[in-house]
Amino acid sequence: MGSGDLNMKKSWHPQTLANQRRVAEVKLKAEEEAQRAAKLQKELREERQREEMDRLNATVTKKSINKLDWMYSAPVIGVPQTSDDLEAYLLGTKDAKDLIRDKEAAESVKQPDAKWKSGLFAFSNRNANNERDEMAKSLEDPLAEIKR
């Protein structure tokens, strides 16, 4: 006659090791999720407190909290623009290419030694792509390895 508990052989029995392991894993995941939720709530509270302090400081110092003020101001380009120029651009009568050309002309007038700086840069970078570097780059190129 059998002397064992037949229920221990059932997959649904709560005292089997596999089921106890599953229950422990689920409890651990629930505990981690609760910790994560508590951490998020704490961060949210701190952020709200920070925003409230910023709002109070803004009322005292009369500074604007809104960081989107730049969207509502006129664009700053090298060439001073009038409201007529901006309106013409928005209406489509003035092209963006004209604005870019005007900006480049203003920059070339502003910086007369741009040639000297680019020449200096070219001088300091003259050995950047010599034959040895080109050969090393071609040997280490993964695309070249694939093609071979």
Side-chain angles (χ1 to χ4, degrees), residues 2-10 12-16:
S3 66
D5 187 10
L6 291 178
N7 284 331
M8 289 293 288
K9 295 184 179 182
K10 304 293 183 184
W12 46 263
H13 196 272
Q15 288 184 346
T16 60

Side-chain angles (χ1 to χ4, degrees), residues 2-115:
S3 66
D5 187 10
L6 291 178
N7 284 331
M8 289 293 288
K9 295 184 179 182
K10 304 293 183 184
S11 63
W12 46 263
H13 196 272
Q15 288 184 346
T16 60
L17 289 177
N19 287 340
Q20 289 177 352
R21 192 175 308 122
R22 282 189 208 126
V23 169
E25 288 173 359
V26 168
K27 285 182 181 178
L28 183 64
K29 285 182 184 178
E31 185 178 314
E32 289 174 355
E33 184 65 30
Q35 289 175 351
R36 215 176 295 129
K39 181 181 175 184
L40 287 174
Q41 287 177 350
K42 180 182 174 187
E43 289 176 1
L44 185 61
R45 270 195 311 272
E46 289 173 357
E47 185 177 349
R48 285 182 181 163
Q49 288 176 351
R50 197 175 321 115
E51 287 175 356
E52 183 64 28
M53 291 300 292
D54 289 343
R55 199 173 307 114
L56 290 174
N57 286 337
T59 57
V60 171
T61 60
K62 306 293 186 207
K63 286 187 178 179
S64 175
I65 299 175
N66 190 2
K67 303 291 183 189
L68 299 176
D69 291 339
W70 60 271
M71 277 183 18
Y72 302 108
S73 63
V76 180
I77 301 179
V79 178
Q81 293 180 345
T82 63
S83 60
D84 294 334
D85 290 338
L86 293 174
E87 187 175 342
Y89 173 69
L90 289 174
L91 292 175
T93 57
K94 190 170 186 178
D95 195 15
K97 293 177 184 177
D98 297 334
L99 294 174
I100 293 171
R101 189 175 345 105
D102 293 343
K103 181 180 176 184
E104 289 172 353
E107 286 178 358
S108 65
V109 170
K110 271 187 189 175
Q111 299 186 6
D113 29 48
K115 274 188 196 175

